[in-house]
Amino acid sequence: MKKSLFSLAFVALFSVAATTTVSAQTKKMLGTVMVGGAAMYPTKNIVENAVNSKDHTTLVAAVKAAGLVETLESAGPFTVFAPTNEAFNKLPAGTVETLVKPENKATLTKILTYHVVAGRMTSADLMKAIKDGKGTATLKTVSGGTLTAMMKGKAIELKDEKGGISTVTIADVMQSNGVIHVVNTVLMPK
């Protein structure tokens, strides 16, 4: 009888220890968001995190081709609306391949910086701006253009200058130099 009580106590103690270990790991991961199969750490900058996302390989290649790596590694802060590979795949065939050519660097840079707003705007900040604007908020992009933010149900949507709509699919991916909101469509300036 004593042996089975000891075994039961050991199992209970082991369960508590395992729960504590999982709890500690969970606490360590607090603040991280999974994007493209990789943890996005709030202690890393936008580029350091983005290069690990399998869903953003096209965006990372475009940022490198446009020479924007150093900028997006700087102190910022920046709010980046980051299109996924699927978002880039929605563009007409050959568009990405054409844009990453050296002779199209200015156009590529304009498109990429159109996805960036100076400052750190969380989803709560965006929703407040939309509410304050009675349903829409105008965001000035780093490229000099504007995006219109609005709500569709509980989702934040962005309307570009050509009338295209993109939805935030993962919000508030915090970075050391800003915040990333993953979007499902490439936003296009005029």
Side-chain angles (χ1 to χ4, degrees), residues 22-154:
V22 169
S23 239
Q25 288 173 345
T26 302
K27 285 179 184 173
K28 189 175 180 181
M29 292 295 286
L30 269 178
T32 62
V33 175
M34 296 298 287
V35 177
M40 300 288 118
Y41 297 99
T43 55
K44 292 185 176 185
N45 69 46
I46 291 165
V47 175
E48 289 171 328
N49 275 319
V51 297
N52 295 315
S53 170
K54 289 183 281 184
D55 291 344
H56 291 89
T57 55
T58 304
L59 177 62
V60 169
V63 165
K64 288 177 181 177
L68 294 172
V69 171
E70 191 175 304
T71 301
L72 292 175
E73 287 179 333
S74 71
F78 304 105
T79 299
V80 177
F81 298 103
T84 60
N85 294 342
E86 284 184 24
F88 280 101
N89 289 339
K90 291 180 185 179
L91 295 172
T95 302
V96 174
E97 293 78 9
T98 301
L99 285 172
V100 296
K101 290 181 179 177
E103 61 268 23
N104 296 319
K105 184 176 178 180
T107 302
L108 178 61
T109 300
K110 183 177 180 179
I111 291 169
L112 293 176
T113 57
Y114 187 66
H115 288 78
V116 181
V117 173
R120 183 187 309 253
M121 291 192 78
T122 64
S123 61
D125 297 329
L126 289 166
M127 288 187 276
K128 182 181 181 326
I130 292 166
K131 184 179 178 185
D132 291 349
K134 298 184 181 4
T136 64
T138 302
L139 309 176
K140 184 82 166 166
T141 70
V142 172
S143 73
T146 58
L147 291 169
T148 303
M150 57 205 151
M151 299 297 300
K152 183 172 186 181
K154 293 183 179 186

